[in-house]
């Protein structure tokens, strides 16, 4: 289905299309997902969720539920109020951002169980603990709650206007976050421009919808005084830290394990109230507990994403040069602001993208409304930014009667300008400087692969036959591989077992294969000899989680550093044993030997044996026992991937249905570790991007009731909606990490909305339509054509 262009080098594994070692087990049903885990005496939890978008809780009567046979107890917000603190914010405001933008940030509001008020349909209010899930669910229905309904706030613009009903009364308004990003002087530049376009854009609310819903098992061990939590999460280490903070338990007493996770897509890059509540319940009851979310719960209680409004003003010259850009951005974050500054900052800092826009201003606000809280979804703010920016490029082209490809060529940053300083800072507080990449060459690859030169002729001919074909392009830059850190601990024991423990958590990205590739090449061993352990705080003490396409950069570099550390230690031990300097030694096939005489040498296993009992104590005086090394990689700042998507579509003007005839991704994520996985990542990403562009939309009615809570109403694309995708990998090494890699897990999702909107508008040129919102549903397109 895909054509691949990859450059490889002399490594045995890095850069090679190694088949994923996880697949056989997962595809033959042998994976162990959260719901597969069985523990002795396991009890079950069901959460009672609010039917109101906004209401006061006057009284909760649990007596009838407690009478049900098999019910152990019922928890409400009242029981948790003193023992469990408010959920901590997901991300910090880094000092650089604080100093430059000084964002206004309201305090956190979300509790493990709602206490005196509910703020969205689906918010957890109470939990029943019972011997079976069925009993727990039956008992839920017997809990009687007296509510005092309040007016629901559903429109984000109205929410932040004066006099709006307050969701969190203490705040005094419904603005969770506000700040302004500035570089150059956008207003002055726009004033001097030959032309100005003002436009608004709306990006649909979406649900990341992994195949596996959320789930938690929690087990308190009274004897050991330790808590183990299994969660279908992207962030085991952060979950451990949040449990510690909220229920007041030392992190050293908590172990979090992410078993096989059936997709996360950002929706599990979040610490949820249920995870905290489950941790608390088991410590109170001393019974192991399980909660597995059903799809209906997932649609209304697991985080949503995107949902942005933009008001843009762009100034440009007759020749197509964009000279100034202003944006007013509102994120509708729902009832609680979980990611604070970060959710909008991703959009604000990625909006100018690969285009040379030095005069830029973005006024960002996060509005709270009575909807499910928003978090990150693959691309996390970048698909939104790119939709706006690439629509602008096409609008500029239309105004000047130029081809959109020409306007892109004029504005794309060139390789001679690299590293390119945008004059802004990134969310980590560091200068936002694009590190490497040939954006124009990447663009030309896509132009060539989509056969743009032949297209206009083809389009004209098709139109004569009543067929509406269109071509679209979109280009993006993505900050990937953010800090703070990740770690790897490699242990080799005298049996020869090589265990590589990495702090990343995988939801389908193939980390076990990728880390094994890096480890095997660096240690000079066969890939089959490396066992990789991930997603377990018991394996390695610190880690940051899998999100923001960061793992290959951060965890991958940690693996490299740890493997280098093992090599160094192995050489040192061998040098003592062989009585030769380390520089005379070499490593091959898991054995350290003397360069001149290969018969003198030791395998890693033998070296591990030597340092275990310390057979030669005097000689080993300065060598720590054990052949293990633990290393962390702390990136100086992010590294910037870039890419271009191009598509050809046909629009049926009778129905508004869009068929994607061709799709090209030209992409640069630095050195590619595994081209097979990279292609899979791009393809899956594009599929999700197409879903968000054409099919998916979370809709609420005016009372804050979710009306797209099932797969009958929330349309996900299936395989038949996904076209053939051609992927081209360019490889501009990043100077910011030892592997030269950049992230790519989200790149596929970033451009589809922009590229398809541009292609559709191009196809419907005779109708003179203007696309400024998503999704590009048949209804929307039909009404644009017919209005
Ligand atoms: N890779 C590579 N060379 C590079 C970069 C990456 O070969 N230069 C390959 C590696 O094999 C790596 C994979 O691509 O295992 C993804 O690497 P990276 O870009 O570092 O992204 P992460 O591993 O940090 O994954 C996170 C990213 C995000 S943010 C979301 S959301 C997402 C995604 O990855 N969610 C996913 N891909 C997903 N894929 C699956 N199947 N399920 C999800 O939930």
């Amino acid at each position: 289905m895909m054509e691949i262009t990859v450059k490889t080098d002399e490594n045995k594994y890095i850069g090679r299309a190694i088949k994923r070692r996880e697949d056989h087990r997962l595809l033959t049903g042998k994976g162990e997902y959260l719901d597969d885990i069985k523990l002795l005496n396991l009890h079950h939890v069901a959460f009672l969720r609010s039917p109101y978008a906004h209401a006061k809780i006057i009284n909760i009567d649990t007596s009838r539920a407690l009478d049900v046979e098999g019910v152990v107890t019922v928890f409400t917000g009242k029981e948790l109020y003193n023992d469990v603190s408010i959920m901590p914010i997901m991300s910090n405001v880094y000092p650089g951002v604080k100093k430059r933008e000084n964002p206004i940030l309201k305090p956190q509001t979300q509790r493990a169980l709602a206490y005196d008020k509910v703020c969205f349909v689906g918010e957890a209010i109470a939990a029943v603990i019972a011997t079976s899930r069925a009993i727990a669910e039956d008992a839920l229905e017997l809990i009687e709650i007296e509510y005092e309904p309040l007016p629901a706030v559903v429109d984000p613009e109205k929410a932040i206007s004066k006099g709006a009903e307050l969701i969190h009364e203490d705040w005094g308004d419904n603005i969770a976050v506000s700040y302004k990003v500035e570089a150059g002087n956008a207003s002055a530049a726009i004033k001097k421009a030959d032309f100005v376009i003002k436009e608004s854009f709306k990006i649909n609310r979406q649900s990341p919808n992994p195949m596996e819903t959320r789930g938690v098992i929690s087990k308190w061990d009274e004897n050991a005084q330790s808590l183990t939590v299994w969660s279908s999460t992207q962030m085991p280490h952060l979950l451990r830290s949040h449990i510690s903070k909220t229920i007041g338990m030392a992190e050293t007493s908590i172990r979090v394990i992410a078993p096989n996770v059936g997709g996360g897509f950002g929706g599990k890059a979040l610490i949820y109230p249920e995870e905290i509540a489950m941790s608390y319940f088991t410590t109170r009851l001393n019974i192991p507990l399980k909660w597995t979310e059903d799809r209906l719960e997932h649609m209304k209680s697991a985080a949503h994403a995107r949902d942005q409004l933009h008001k843009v003003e762009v100034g440009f010259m007759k020749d197509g040069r964009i000279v100034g850009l202003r944006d007013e951005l509102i994120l509708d974050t729902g009832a609680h602001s979980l990611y604070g500054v970060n959710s909008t900052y991703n959009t604000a800092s990625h909006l100018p993208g690969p285009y040379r826009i030095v005069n830029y201003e973005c006024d960002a606000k996060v509005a709270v409304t009575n909807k499910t809280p928003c978090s990150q979804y693959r691309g996390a703010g970048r698909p939104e930014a790119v939709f706006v920016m690439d629509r602008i490029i096409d609008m500029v082209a239309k105004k000047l009667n130029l081809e959109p490809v020409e306007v892109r060529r004029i504005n794309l940053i060139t390789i001679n300008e690299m590293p390119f300083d945008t004059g802004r800072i990134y969310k980590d507080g560091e200068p936002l400087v694009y590190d490497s990449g040939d954006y124009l060459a990447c663009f030309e690859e896509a132009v060539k692969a989509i056969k743009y030169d032949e297209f206009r002729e083809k389009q004209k001919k098709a139109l004569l036959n009543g067929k509406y074909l269109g071509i679209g392009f979109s280009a993006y830059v993505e900050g990937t591989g953010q800090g703070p850190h990740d770690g790897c601990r490699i242990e080799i024991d005298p049996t020869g077992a090589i265990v590589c423990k990495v702090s990343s958590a995988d939801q389908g990205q193939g980390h076990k294969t990728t880390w094994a590739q890096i480890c095997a090449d660096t240690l000079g061993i066969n890939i089959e000899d490396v066992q990789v352990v991930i997603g377990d705080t018991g394996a390695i003490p610190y880690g940051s989680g899998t999100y923001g396409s960061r793992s290959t950069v951060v965890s991958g570099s940690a693996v490299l550093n740890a493997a280098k550390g093992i090599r160094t230690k192995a050489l040192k031990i061998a040098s003592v044993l062989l009585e030769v300097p380390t520089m005379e030694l070499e490593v091959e096939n898991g054995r350290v030997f003397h360069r001149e005489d290969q018969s003198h040498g030791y395998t890693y296993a033998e070296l591990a044996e030597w340092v275990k009992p310390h057979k030669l104590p005097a000689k080993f005086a300065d060598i720590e026992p054990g052949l293990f090394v633990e290393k962390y990689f702390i990136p100086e700042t992010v590294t910037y991937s870039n890419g271009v998507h191009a598509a050809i579509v046909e629009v049926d003007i009778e129905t508004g249905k869009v068929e994607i005839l061709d799709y090209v991704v030209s992409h640069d994520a630095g050195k590619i570790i595994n081209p097979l996985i990279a292609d899979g990542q791009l393809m899956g990403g594009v599929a999700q991007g197409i879903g968000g562009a054409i099919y998916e939309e979370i809709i609420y009615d005016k009372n804050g009731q979710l009306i797209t809570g099932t797969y009958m109403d929330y349309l996900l694309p299936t395989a038949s909606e996904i076209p053939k995708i051609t992927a081209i990998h360019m490889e501009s090494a990043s100077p910011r990490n030892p592997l030269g890699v950049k992230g790519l897990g989200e790149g596929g999702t970033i451009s589809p909305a922009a590229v398809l909107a541009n292609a559709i508008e191009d196809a419907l040129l005779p109708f003179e339509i203007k696309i400024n919102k998503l999704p590009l549903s048949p209804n929307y397109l039909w009404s644009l054509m017919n209005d």
Side-chain angles (χ1 to χ4, degrees):
M1 198 153 178
M2 301 193 79
E3 291 159 23
I4 311 168
T5 318
V6 192
K7 293 171 205 149
T8 57
D9 58 18
E10 295 315 310
N11 282 319
K12 194 168 165 194
Y13 300 113
I14 294 176
R16 311 273 163 196
I18 309 283
K19 280 196 179 166
R20 292 176 13 141
R21 51 166 54 186
E22 332 25 24
D23 283 353
H24 185 262
R25 202 168 59 82
L26 296 181
L27 295 175
T28 52
K30 297 194 183 95
E32 192 176 58
Y33 295 89
L34 193 282
D35 201 46
D36 299 322
I37 298 170
K38 308 265 180 296
L39 300 180
L40 214 61
N41 193 31
L42 194 61
H43 280 54
H44 297 264
V45 179
F47 286 94
L48 180 71
R49 300 186 179 279
S50 170
Y52 287 100
H54 199 192
K56 279 190 182 149
I57 301 170
I58 307 296
N59 187 40
I60 304 181
D61 182 352
T62 58
S63 53
R64 287 178 61 215
L66 285 166
D67 283 347
V68 175
E69 201 183 325
V71 168
V72 176
T73 193
V74 178
F75 286 102
T76 67
K78 212 171 180 179
E79 279 89 51
L80 273 65
Y81 189 76
N82 290 321
D83 293 352
V84 184
S85 61
I86 283 188
M87 304 283 295
I89 190 157
M90 286 298 300
S91 62
N92 302 318
V93 179
Y94 284 90
V97 175
K98 173 113 188 89
K99 192 168 157 212
R100 183 160 158 156
E101 269 111 34
N102 197 19
I104 298 171
L105 193 63
K106 299 281 170 48
Q108 291 305 95
T109 49
Q110 196 180 31
R111 291 190 166 275
L113 291 179
Y115 173 58
D116 53 0
K117 191 179 182 187
V118 284
C119 297
F120 67 96
V121 169
E123 186 157 21
I125 302 172
V128 176
I129 320 295
T131 47
S132 79
R133 171 74 183 229
I135 294 175
E137 284 195 14
D138 285 349
L140 281 187
E141 292 179 14
L142 302 175
I143 298 175
E144 285 161 25
I145 305 188
E146 193 188 328
Y147 296 98
E148 183 188 314
L150 298 166
V153 182
V154 288
D155 180 319
E157 279 182 297
K158 285 189 189 149
I160 61 171
S161 59
K162 281 220 163 70
E165 173 80 19
L166 294 181
I167 296 175
H168 307 296
E169 288 81 2
D170 311 349
W171 288 10
D173 59 28
N174 291 323
I175 304 173
V177 181
S178 71
Y179 61 93
K180 195 188 263 190
V181 166
E182 273 177 294
N185 188 336
S187 306
I190 291 170
K191 237 184 223 164
K192 284 192 207 143
D194 293 339
F195 298 95
V196 176
I197 291 179
K198 288 185 184 181
E199 192 51 72
S200 6
F201 297 94
K202 180 174 171 12
I203 291 111
N204 45 341
R205 178 173 272 250
Q206 295 170 40
S207 157
N209 253 297
M211 206 184 284
E212 184 203 25
T213 54
R214 296 178 296 152
V216 182
I217 291 178
S218 55
K219 181 177 184 289
W220 171 246
D221 183 335
E222 185 76 34
N223 291 334
Q225 291 286 296
S226 72
L227 170 68
T228 306
V229 176
W230 292 259
S231 179
S232 181
T233 180
Q234 295 176 229
M235 337 268 282
H237 288 87
L238 201 75
L239 175 54
R240 184 187 58 180
S241 147
H242 280 215
I243 294 170
S244 158
K245 281 182 194 150
T246 48
I247 73 171
M249 181 184 286
E251 285 200 30
T252 42
S253 302
I254 307 168
R255 179 177 177 196
V256 175
I257 302 168
N260 288 139
V261 174
F265 308 113
K268 294 175 185 169
L270 184 64
I271 309 308
Y272 281 101
E274 291 87 346
E275 291 173 305
I276 302 300
M278 292 289 291
S279 305
Y280 173 74
F281 299 157
T282 189
T283 56
R284 282 284 305 275
L285 301 174
N286 197 17
I287 302 172
L289 301 172
K290 180 195 264 190
W291 163 69
T292 311
E293 185 183 50
D294 64 35
R295 187 60 65 180
L296 201 58
E297 272 185 301
H298 184 78
M299 294 300 287
K300 62 185 179 188
S301 309
H304 296 163
R306 313 263 195 256
D307 208 352
Q308 292 187 358
L309 297 171
H310 291 257
K311 281 190 187 147
V312 175
E313 197 177 356
V314 57
F316 51 102
M317 308 309 273
K318 283 186 204 113
D319 60 5
R321 268 179 306 126
I322 294 176
V323 291
L325 176 65
R326 290 189 68 246
D327 182 31
E328 282 174 32
L329 149 61
I330 301 173
L331 165 72
D332 177 349
T333 196
H336 305 284
S337 171
L338 309 175
Y339 259 93
V341 171
N342 265 14
S343 301
T344 44
Y345 210 88
N346 272 357
T347 305
S349 55
H350 285 85
L351 192 71
Y355 305 111
R356 192 183 307 96
I357 300 172
V358 289
N359 297 303
Y360 171 61
E361 187 181 307
C362 180
D363 195 337
K365 287 194 173 50
V366 176
V368 287
T369 58
N370 293 119
K371 299 177 192 164
T372 302
C374 274
S375 177
Q376 319 285 9
Y377 174 24
R378 206 170 189 173
R382 287 89 168 191
E384 298 89 315
V386 168
F387 173 69
V388 172
M389 191 64 231
D390 273 309
R391 284 280 48 233
I392 291 173
I393 297 276
D394 274 35
M395 288 175 180
V396 168
K398 202 180 251 178
K399 178 85 187 163
L400 297 175
N401 209 11
L402 289 172
E403 276 288 326
V405 285
E406 287 310 324
V407 177
R408 287 192 170 78
R409 281 178 180 135
I410 289 165
N411 287 289
L412 279 169
I413 294 162
T414 62
I415 187 133
N416 300 329
E417 296 165 272
M418 286 290 173
F420 184 84
D421 189 344
T422 64
R424 291 175 271 128
I425 50 170
Y426 199 63
K427 66 185 173 193
D428 59 6
E430 298 300 321
L432 204 167
V433 181
Y434 298 156
D435 47 343
S436 62
D438 189 338
Y439 299 170
L440 207 53
C442 188
F443 179 66
E444 297 303 348
E445 288 284 345
V447 169
K448 196 162 73 190
I450 200 88
K451 300 194 178 84
Y452 170 75
D453 288 347
E454 302 166 14
F455 179 74
R456 289 291 175 218
E457 227 15 71
K458 210 165 146 187
Q459 187 182 34
K460 271 186 213 147
K461 277 192 195 144
L463 197 56
L464 294 175
N465 294 321
K467 282 181 184 264
Y468 290 78
L469 302 190
I471 195 163
F473 292 88
S474 161
Y476 68 87
V477 169
E478 182 194 5
T480 64
Q482 72 194 70
H485 59 256
D486 263 298
C488 172
R489 181 184 167 94
I490 299 178
E491 294 169 4
I492 302 184
D493 93 343
T495 64
I498 300 171
V499 186
C500 178
K501 300 175 174 177
V502 189
S503 63
S504 76
D506 163 301
Q507 306 83 50
Q509 293 90 343
H511 285 179
K512 286 194 172 177
T513 309
T514 314
W515 309 154
Q517 287 177 257
I518 299 169
C519 183
D521 264 345
T522 316
L523 287 180
I525 53 174
N526 283 327
I527 195 164
E528 293 77 23
D529 295 337
V530 187
Q531 185 201 339
V532 179
V533 177
I534 50 175
D536 182 353
T537 64
I540 180 152
Y542 305 105
S544 308
T546 293
Y547 55 93
S549 301
R550 61 186 299 281
S551 305
T552 309
V553 173
V554 191
S555 292
S557 300
V559 174
L560 181 80
N561 289 348
K564 278 184 179 165
I566 289 275
R567 255 183 104 108
T568 308
K569 186 160 184 182
L571 288 175
K572 201 168 169 188
I573 305 163
S575 129
V576 173
L577 292 169
L578 295 168
E579 297 181 333
V580 291
T582 50
M583 67 230 269
E584 288 179 21
L585 297 173
E586 272 183 22
V587 186
E588 218 176 272
N589 293 329
R591 188 166 172 273
V592 186
F593 53 85
H594 192 249
R595 194 185 303 144
E596 305 291 310
D597 178 3
Q598 299 206 1
S599 64
H600 284 78
Y602 294 89
T603 62
Y604 283 127
E606 287 164 343
L607 294 173
E609 178 68 34
W610 274 103
V611 278
K612 198 178 168 205
H614 267 187
K615 290 184 175 170
L616 298 170
K619 282 188 176 184
F620 283 172
D622 64 339
I623 297 177
E624 291 275 319
L627 187 47
F628 66 87
V629 168
E630 187 170 306
K631 291 276 179 197
Y632 289 83
F633 181 69
I634 303 166
E636 57 189 89
T637 181
V638 292
T639 172
Y640 293 89
S641 300
N642 64 284
V644 175
H645 291 208
I648 294 178
V649 302
E650 180 179 345
V651 185
D652 181 338
I653 60 160
E654 299 294 324
T655 61
K657 184 174 180 289
V658 176
E659 192 180 345
I660 305 169
L661 304 178
D662 200 2
Y663 203 103
V664 169
V665 180
S666 169
H667 183 270
D668 192 337
K671 171 88 200 151
I672 297 292
I673 304 293
N674 188 326
L676 204 60
I677 298 183
D679 286 331
Q681 284 291 309
L682 286 180
M683 199 171 185
V686 171
Q688 277 186 313
I690 290 173
I694 301 182
Y695 303 98
E696 301 175 36
E697 184 170 30
I698 291 279
I699 302 172
Y700 284 87
D701 72 8
K702 62 179 186 348
N703 299 316
Q705 290 295 330
L706 176 65
I707 55 176
T708 49
T710 74
Y711 284 169
M712 289 295 283
D713 325 287
Y714 189 82
L715 297 183
L716 290 165
T718 64
S720 50
E721 276 81 44
I722 307 306
K724 172 181 161 285
I725 299 157
T726 304
I728 302 157
H729 299 294
M730 305 191 58
E731 292 188 278
S732 313
S734 170
R736 293 184 183 158
N737 62 75
L739 287 164
V741 291
K742 304 176 179 185
L744 56 71
E746 295 163 285
T749 318
I750 293 177
S751 273
V755 87
L756 293 172
N758 286 345
I760 292 168
E761 203 176 277
D762 185 53
L764 299 179
L765 218 57
F767 290 87
E768 294 183 14
I769 65 161
K770 184 177 72 186
I771 292 175
N772 63 358
K773 64 173 195 157
L774 295 168
L776 308 162
S777 65
N779 278 359
Y780 174 47
L781 299 182
W782 192 89
S783 56
L784 282 178
M785 284 184 279
N786 289 281
D787 276 350

